[in-house]
Amino acid sequence: MRRRIVVALLPVLVLLVAGVGLSYAVVVGERSTQQVFIDRSGDAVRFATLAEAAITSGDSSRLDAELDAYEELYGSPVWVIGLDGSLVHDPGRPVPADERIDQKIQRAFAGSRAVETNVVWPWTRAPLRVVEPVGRDSQVTAVVVIEAPTDGLRETTVRQWTVGAAMLLVPVGALLAGLWPLTRWILRPVRDLERIAADVRGGDLNARAAVEHGPSELRGLASSFNAMVDTVQRSLERQRAFVADAAHQLRNPLASLRLSVENLRPWLHEREAREAGEEAVSEVVEMGEMFEAMLAATAVASEERVRDSEAWTLRQVFAAGRPHWEQATSDAGLALHVVEPDLELVLRQPPGGLVAVLNELVDNAARLSDATTVTVTWSVDHGERERETRSRAGRTGTLGDGSGTVTVADDGRGLSESERRAARGRFWRAQHHQNTPGTGLGLAIIHDVVEDVGGTVRLEANTPTGLRVLVRLPLVSEPAGAQPPPP
């Protein structure tokens, strides 16, 4: 995040440096050029005065000596051009043949003086030329032309640009250098809060954000977040405690009620009375099973999420669950077919572990499907970015670029589309399973614990008959070159 902030600020800083730097460069170039131009214009005015005196007296010896010494000192040749185009002073080289200088000479003969010149940039190679009329208005008798080399001017401009760039880039560099620890200080509580929020979303209600780092506003946000989690945790704990206490408190009355009803059997002589007594015992037993299921659901909901670093590989999950699956299918007279994982895949584990989820699904298939075969297989979804999963799940490990799916399928009677939609509801039982032992909580609990870690549970019709339950979970790690197993 720090890198993104710095990268976002870079265009602003570049525009700032470019705007200030370009303005400074233009001002320095114009000022340096104007300063040299003013100096040379002052020299030209003095030479124009000498030239006027020489023309008036007819003696140009002093003028020639002065201009020759000037050229030798500054390397700037000076021409004095008379009205008829003759040279009052000839430095020994031709007058520059340039359209622009010709125009300036014509304007000088007309009595006009140049007060500015073009800016000399470091890449400008042409010399700076100053044209000054000798005399004024209609009394112009000659024109003085000075050609000043610009090497020193260009060097001065480059030097000033370098100094200006250093003065500009040093504070900008210091700003960038200070921006990194500053953003780290500001964003550290944000990153911590994001991580803690993901942990809380994944079921770890003991996670708390640090409140001693960062700006006061973020410390206040972290404190408010911790207070919110405290409130949610207390509320959930009260609800779970109430359900557990209620189930525990009702165990003894139910046991006493069952014993009392069963003790009535010797006095129930009529067939209708015996049937009513058996039905009462059956109802009490079913209520007991319901309370036990509620206690189990409360226990599962109270379990902490398995950390990614402690999660089993899919091979370990299948190895731990297979004995139970074989026992459950064998007791129901069904065949079991398992496609063993051949990769060291690690899927994000729901509370209670993936083994418990698969055990419940295999038990349901064995008891309720009226099938002949139960199949447990797996697959990997390659190259798919789990954006929704990542945003919903707690992230304490490194996710792969996809997800893994474990499927429990049977070839039994299956469920209709409307039944599959309703199957995730608590206490839901299919119509043809109303007299089958069970509470209707297992599949609802599986949905909850899997979705708590960013996974999904999907019920589909099997082909040609039966039901497929697909448990899809984010990949924590995936070996290079992993390929899904054959269907």
Side-chain angles (χ1 to χ4, degrees), residues 314 343-349 354 377-390 392-393 398-407 450 453-458 470-479 482-485:
L314 204 55
L343 300 172
E344 292 299 321
L345 299 177
V346 179
L347 303 183
R348 173 149 290 155
Q349 302 286 297
L354 182 57
T377 185
W378 63 281
S379 63
V380 181
D381 302 320
H382 289 274
E384 181 179 351
R385 304 300 298 184
E386 300 291 327
R387 294 186 179 90
E388 181 180 357
T389 295
R390 289 175 182 240
R392 296 188 302 170
T398 302
L399 285 177
D401 288 343
S403 62
T405 302
V406 181
T407 303
V450 170
V453 294
T456 58
V457 178
R458 198 166 68 249
L470 295 86
V471 179
R472 185 182 186 185
L473 292 164
L475 281 176
V476 174
S477 67
E478 178 181 3
Q483 297 294 329

Side-chain angles (χ1 to χ4, degrees), residues 51 55 63 67 78-82 86-89 134 142-145:
I55 293 172
L63 175 65
L67 297 184
V78 181
W79 294 268
V80 179
I81 306 172
S86 61
L87 292 177
V88 177
H89 174 76
V134 177
V143 170
V144 176
V145 179

